[in-house]
Amino acid sequence: MKKLIRGLDEFRQNYVNTHQELLEQLSHGQKPRVLFITCSDSRVAPNLITNTDMGELFVIRNAGNIIPPYGSANGGEGGTIEYAINALGIEQVVICGHSHCGGMKGLLKLNELQEDMPLVYDWLRHAESTRRLVMENYPDYSGEELIETLVAENVLIQIDNLKTYPVVRARIHQGKLRIYAWIYRIETGEVLAYDAETHTYVPPMSQLMDDEDQNGDRSLAPSDKKRRSDSEFSSLTNIRGELDKLLAVNSPKSTKEAERAIGSLERLFARASRLGMTASELQNYHSLFSEPIQTWARKAYSHR
Ligand code: ZN
């Protein structure tokens, strides 16, 4: 407790002194852009890992980053979601699981919990779909691999649960709400984001590009857009051509150009492996891009 009280003092001396304008502005109201749903685990620090400031993230935390399906529980989650979307007008939601999640480990011995921690048992039952899905579909997995799979599938199941909320459904229908699945790795501090196209978790930079596509390309219906991109990259020959073109982007002139290059690269790699590019050719491309991508990332994130 001593450490915490000393911390309060240090916070006022260091942070408050240098952020008076921000705090004054926040005293008139909040306008967070993102609802961030994550685990209570002390090793996950939403503002720290996203390098965001006060007022930027609206946060829900609980054991296992679980969202009970609409109507199944009367906890704080439902009300907080409703408030975030309806009152604050938030249009982006992140559900962020994490490696080594105790909640997911608990799922594996759910019945043992019933006696010792009946409330934990009740809570984790909202993730029963996660447990069942993983047990039935990944029967050979064990240890770390099993936990990682539970973490990854649980985030997707909780997104399904989130979509049972009327306010969420309505906003998705209007194209006014996007939901992202993230996994934070405690050991490396990196975040991976779910890519529905490849059903894998990939570096989240690629999603910047998708956002831009959506914002800048409203005239194209989703099906048209898909047709267009499929035909553009329908063969490995085309992809090789695109990759070679991308290699020529040595020093991007703008942040947007850098983000676009990163996004294109991610998608080209995903398509290349789906179309059967050999592992050694992919590896070769990876090493060819290892230098340019560092330049792009520096440019893309220079304004943050
Ligand atoms: Zn956890």
Side-chain angles (χ1 to χ4, degrees), residues 36-39 44 49-50 64-65 93-98 151 155 180-185 191-192:
F36 198 92
I37 301 170
T38 192
C39 186
V44 183
I49 67 173
T50 56
N65 40 270
V93 183
V94 174
I95 299 193
C96 183
H98 67 96
V151 168
V155 175
Y180 300 89
W182 285 9
I183 294 175
Y184 172 69
R185 290 196 179 283
V191 164
L192 292 176

Side-chain angles (χ1 to χ4, degrees), residues 66-104:
I66 288 166
I67 298 298
Y70 180 71
S72 69
N74 236 343
E77 283 74 19
T80 311
I81 290 164
E82 227 171 55
Y83 186 78
I85 295 171
N86 205 68
L88 298 174
I90 284 178
E91 297 185 350
Q92 299 171 91
V93 183
V94 174
I95 299 193
C96 183
H98 67 96
S99 59
H100 312 290
C101 183
M104 296 303 104

Side-chain angles (χ1 to χ4, degrees), residues 67-240:
I67 298 298
Y70 180 71
S72 69
N74 236 343
E77 283 74 19
T80 311
I81 290 164
E82 227 171 55
Y83 186 78
I85 295 171
N86 205 68
L88 298 174
I90 284 178
E91 297 185 350
Q92 299 171 91
V93 183
V94 174
I95 299 193
C96 183
H98 67 96
S99 59
H100 312 290
C101 183
M104 296 303 104
K105 289 177 188 166
L107 269 186
L108 292 176
K109 43 173 190 170
L110 202 50
N111 287 329
E112 291 169 40
L113 290 175
Q114 197 165 9
E115 208 176 334
D116 285 347
M117 292 190 269
L119 297 178
V120 175
Y121 171 79
D122 282 347
W123 178 247
L124 289 181
R125 271 169 31 114
H126 294 303
E128 169 62 13
S129 299
T130 304
R131 195 191 66 80
R132 179 105 189 197
L133 185 152
V134 171
M135 289 301 143
E136 284 195 12
N137 294 286
Y138 303 87
D140 306 329
Y141 284 28
S142 63
E144 281 299 315
E145 198 177 27
L146 178 59
I147 300 293
E148 265 182 39
T149 307
L150 282 163
V151 168
E153 293 290 355
N154 183 54
V155 175
L156 304 181
I157 295 268
Q158 300 312 324
I159 286 182
D160 287 345
N161 288 350
L162 186 62
K163 288 179 182 169
T164 62
Y165 286 76
V167 66
V168 173
R169 276 242 87 97
R171 293 293 160 92
I172 289 176
H173 194 79
Q174 296 156 18
K176 284 187 181 164
L177 191 70
R178 290 170 69 85
I179 306 175
Y180 300 89
W182 285 9
I183 294 175
Y184 172 69
R185 290 196 179 283
I186 289 173
E187 47 276 76
T188 60
E190 74 180 323
V191 164
L192 292 176
Y194 180 68
D195 173 46
E197 225 175 289
T198 53
H199 190 58
T200 51
Y201 282 83
V202 300
M205 287 181 285
S206 56
Q207 297 188 333
L208 286 175
M209 180 63 184
D210 291 345
D211 281 351
E212 257 175 38
D213 269 3
Q214 291 240 333
N215 295 334
D217 240 353
R218 289 214 191 277
S219 57
L220 286 172
S223 56
D224 290 344
K225 203 169 112 187
K226 188 162 191 312
R227 256 202 306 283
R228 188 191 63 171
S229 50
D230 280 354
S231 61
E232 261 173 25
F233 304 117
S234 58
S235 74
L236 280 180
T237 316
N238 286 350
I239 288 180
R240 288 189 193 104

